[in-house]
Amino acid sequence: MSSSDTSSERIAKRLARAGVASRREAEKIILAGRIAVNGKIIDSPALNVTDADAITLDGQPIGAKEPVRLWRYHKPAGLVTTERDEKGRATIFDRMPPELPRVMSVGRLDLTSEGLLLLTNDGDLKRRLELPSTGWVRKYRVRAKGVPSEALLEPLRKGITVDGERFLPMQVSIDRQQGANVWLSIALREGKNREIRRALEQIGMSVSRLIRVSYGPFQLGELASGAVEELRPKILREQLGIKRETDRVTPDAAKPKGLRSRTVRRPNRR
């Protein structure tokens, strides 16, 4: 272990680069005594390591540092966006293709929500894309019970407070009315827990289906439900400023541009 070697880096960053967890989560794992360096359990993230150090998680060697990678995933309804579920429910990670490396989700979609979820092998990128300061718009198609007027939706556009929690203004438009149900397009820049469902309930509407169709410049498009697709290095370079040869992220992401798909991988069926 070294603090002076120019090739050294903080242990939490090393764990993030190996796809173990984000830096913040990696620090929690370290404090829990699950990480050992050169056979010795560590209890502080204030440690620098080099490629010469042997690092294990729960007794198993962590993977080598990998190039930054990003995938689109079409999450079906009925899956939990966690690695493990205390209630024993199926998670998105139970249904991933076996050839997929260890990945983390960028944010979450709740159990009954579906649509676009980004996956990455890089903890630093995960945290960066989740930060509110990134300011990326998340767009959804929402089916709800009710016959809303423009006036009814206005509080959502101005910003609404639900149970003491303030939600930022949303972009809301009525797509079409189908009997007792309506399809809405909703866009927001933050992703608080069940934000859309809670906001609509506040104005007397209940959501029966919620589909995320985009996350910043990344689109769900025609990606089949349950399918996973890796984004090309060119897309990472153009949209995020990531250069695969150095794996560095520039301070400012490029402006959103149109995306093209590559290969669709379908999950194992159970």
Coordinates of all heavy atoms in Angstrom, one line a residue, residues 28 192 269:
K28 N -19.1 2.7 2.6 CA -19.9 1.9 3.5 C -19.4 0.5 3.6 O -19.4 -0.1 4.7 CB -21.4 2.0 3.1 CG -22.0 3.4 3.2 CD -23.4 3.4 2.8 CE -24.0 4.8 2.8 NZ -25.4 4.8 2.3
K192 N -37.1 12.0 -7.3 CA -37.4 11.7 -5.9 C -38.3 10.4 -5.9 O -39.0 10.1 -6.9 CB -38.1 12.8 -5.2 CG -37.2 14.0 -5.0 CD -37.8 15.2 -4.3 CE -36.9 16.4 -4.1 NZ -37.5 17.5 -3.4
R269 N -34.9 -16.5 -20.1 CA -36.3 -16.6 -19.7 C -36.3 -17.6 -18.5 O -35.7 -18.7 -18.6 CB -37.1 -17.1 -20.8 CG -37.1 -16.2 -22.0 CD -37.7 -14.8 -21.6 NE -37.8 -13.9 -22.8 CZ -38.2 -12.7 -22.7 NH1 -38.5 -12.2 -21.5 NH2 -38.2 -11.9 -23.8

